[in-house]
Each structure stands twice: as C-alpha cells, then as structure tokens.
Amino acid sequence: MPSRTRRARLADVHELASSLPHVTVEYGPAENPVYQVGRKSFVFFRTPRPDAVDPETGERYPDVIIFWVPSESDKLALTQDPESPFFTTPHFQGHLSVLLRASRLRELSLGELTEVIQDAWLSRASATRARQWLAENAESPRSANSGGSRKS
C-alpha cells in the first residue's frame, strides 16, 4: 500500500475514483473520463473552457479536474486560500464543486487527494450507499475526519 504522505499523481485520481463502490465511468466528447455514482458525476475531467485560463497567456487550461464537494463551506475551505491548488470560476458560482489542475496534483498528499475524492463520492452517492460505505470504512480518512479535507 502506498504511503498516504507521498505526493499525489494523476494515476491516483483514476485509481481512487474507480475503487469506490457502484462507480461507472462515462466519457465526454474528448474521451475525458467522468466518474459517476448512481449516474451522478463526482469527479470529472473537463475539456478546456474559456472560464479557466492562464492569466498570463490567456490559454485555456487543458488539465482541469472537477471534484464535487458536500457543501458551500467545504468549497470555501478548499478555495479561499490563495496558495491552495483548488480554485473555482464564476461559471461555478453556486455549484458544489471545486477545480484543480492536474499539473498541481503534486501539491497534495495522497491522503489529501483520497479525502477529496471520498468526499466527492459521498456528496453524490445515495444516502443508503453513503451510510453503508461509512459503516464499512470506519477507519477511512473521511470517516475519521467528517469535516472533509484540507480545511483551515
């Protein structure tokens, strides 16, 4: 088992998202993976869009990953620190999700990424599936820290 303190990698996103129960993967127009539970997305690899661009070049970010969050307070906790790799855009105002560039994944530990993905899954899974998963994973990072991840 990999160390939870090592830096997160892109492969970890795929591995963690697909390892949760009842997950299916759909593919977007550019063959970008969309991880779903109960036909609801919880991790989504986004195609380049005009609302997420490099401030210096104006180029659209090609590597944005969207993670659903349980609440607006979770979203704020992940995005309000300017040093955080998580961000949002006006397009996502009122949407319970945060964005992260794959190129910044290494700023997270594997443990932090695990919590973000588990939180995303829990926020979109049915109440029954969420309760069952929490009961079966009492020692998981998410159940040990019901407040979420990377919060200040």
Side-chain angles (χ1 to χ4, degrees), residues 12-30:
D12 297 324
V13 176
H14 297 289
E15 183 179 323
L16 291 165
S18 63
S19 71
L20 290 160
H22 308 286
V23 170
T24 57
V25 183
E26 299 292 326
Y27 291 90

Side-chain angles (χ1 to χ4, degrees), residues 104-117:
R104 294 191 68 186
L105 268 168
R106 293 193 58 76
E107 295 178 39
L108 302 175
S109 69
L110 178 58
E112 290 168 329
L113 179 64
T114 299
E115 289 183 44
V116 168
I117 291 175

Side-chain angles (χ1 to χ4, degrees), residues 82-123:
E83 299 300 314
S84 172
F86 294 100
F87 68 101
T88 189
T89 69
H91 178 77
F92 286 91
Q93 182 176 353
H95 192 269
L96 294 179
S97 62
V98 295
L99 290 75
L100 173 71
R101 294 193 63 201
S103 60
R104 294 191 68 186
L105 268 168
R106 293 193 58 76
E107 295 178 39
L108 302 175
S109 69
L110 178 58
E112 290 168 329
L113 179 64
T114 299
E115 289 183 44
V116 168
I117 291 175
Q118 288 173 350
D119 282 351
W121 185 89
L122 286 164
S123 74

Side-chain angles (χ1 to χ4, degrees), residues 1 7 31 33 35-36 38 45 52 62 69 71 77 79 94 100 104 109 111 118 123 136 144 146 149:
M1 176 186 292
R7 300 288 89 198
E31 294 301 310
Y35 291 91
Q36 300 178 338
F45 285 76
V69 294
S71 68
T79 60
L100 173 71
R104 294 191 68 186
S109 69
Q118 288 173 350
S123 74
E136 292 172 358
S146 61
S149 61

Side-chain angles (χ1 to χ4, degrees), residues 32-52:
N32 49 309
V34 180
Y35 291 91
Q36 300 178 338
V37 57
R39 306 221 22 96
K40 295 180 182 178
S41 308
F42 68 98
V43 174
F44 179 89
F45 285 76
R46 189 176 187 218
T47 56
R49 300 286 306 248
D51 67 308

